[in-house]
Amino acid sequence: DIQMTQSPASLSASLGETVTIECRASEDIYNGLAWYQQKPGKSPQLLIYNANSLHTGVPSRFSGSGSGTQYSLKINSLQSEDVASYFCQQYYDYPDTFGAGTKLELK
Amino acid sequence: EIQLQESGPGLVKPSQSLSLTCSVTGYTITSGYDWSWIRKFPGNKMEWMGYISYSGSTNYNPSLKSRISITRDTSKNQFFLQLNSVTTEDTATYYCARYQLGAYYFDYWGQGVMVTVSS
């Protein structure tokens, strides 16, 4: 199985700041990567698919980039409603595997 | 609006079977898409468990293949997870989700149900 290493595990940032979360795959996943946001007690929400495509309805301050084994999620101009956990999923190779998540808090 | 809701016992004894239901509203599960189960362990590791397609075919994570079964009741627009011979290592929050066809990311998820395996 492809291993997904996500970093950092936790992150504290100020309102208006730009935040970057990374996922590294153990082998090339050819942009088969999605990012999700999950708030406590809520269902995960799809943010990004195919590494850099913004899901319908997701604010444009979220963006995804990367290729090969290295991918990142960037949040521009952090808002209070962005406080959540974020995790990645690779779906290029069977079975799908996930990163361990990043907990984003306000400083 | 498409919604998924998991339900089932929160406590299961070791060696017994874990059975969960995912009720889907806002979309008919036979109309398209694949319907998955995913779990999140304490410590946040996540595992894709398997799916049932809109046509009723199934695909399971090889790590679970001998213990897992995913079925459905189309009249109730529900699909089910059965995991046999559970141990304490199956303690997790279980999610159902809709798989995007051909791309295999999840565009709708349930809120999750926590299941503890303990005697």
Side-chain angles (χ1 to χ4, degrees), chain A residues 74-87:
Chain A
K74 188 163 77 170
I75 310 172
N76 286 317
S77 189
L78 187 70
Q79 305 294 303
S80 57
E81 59 264 33
D82 300 333
V83 171
S85 291
Y86 295 84
F87 61 93

Side-chain angles (χ1 to χ4, degrees), chain B residues 31-74:
Chain B
S31 294
Y33 297 94
D34 297 333
W35 304 87
S36 264
W37 288 96
I38 303 113
R39 61 182 178 175
K40 187 176 192 177
F41 298 100
N44 292 331
K45 182 183 174 194
M46 295 182 73
E47 179 180 55
W48 169 77
M49 301 181 73
Y51 72 75
I52 187 164
S53 75
Y54 65 93
S55 64
S57 62
T58 54
N59 191 16
Y60 303 130
N61 192 317
S63 68
L64 298 168
K65 216 156 199 172
S66 61
R67 298 199 291 137
I68 189 173
S69 176
I70 299 177
T71 57
R72 64 182 184 173
D73 183 336
T74 57

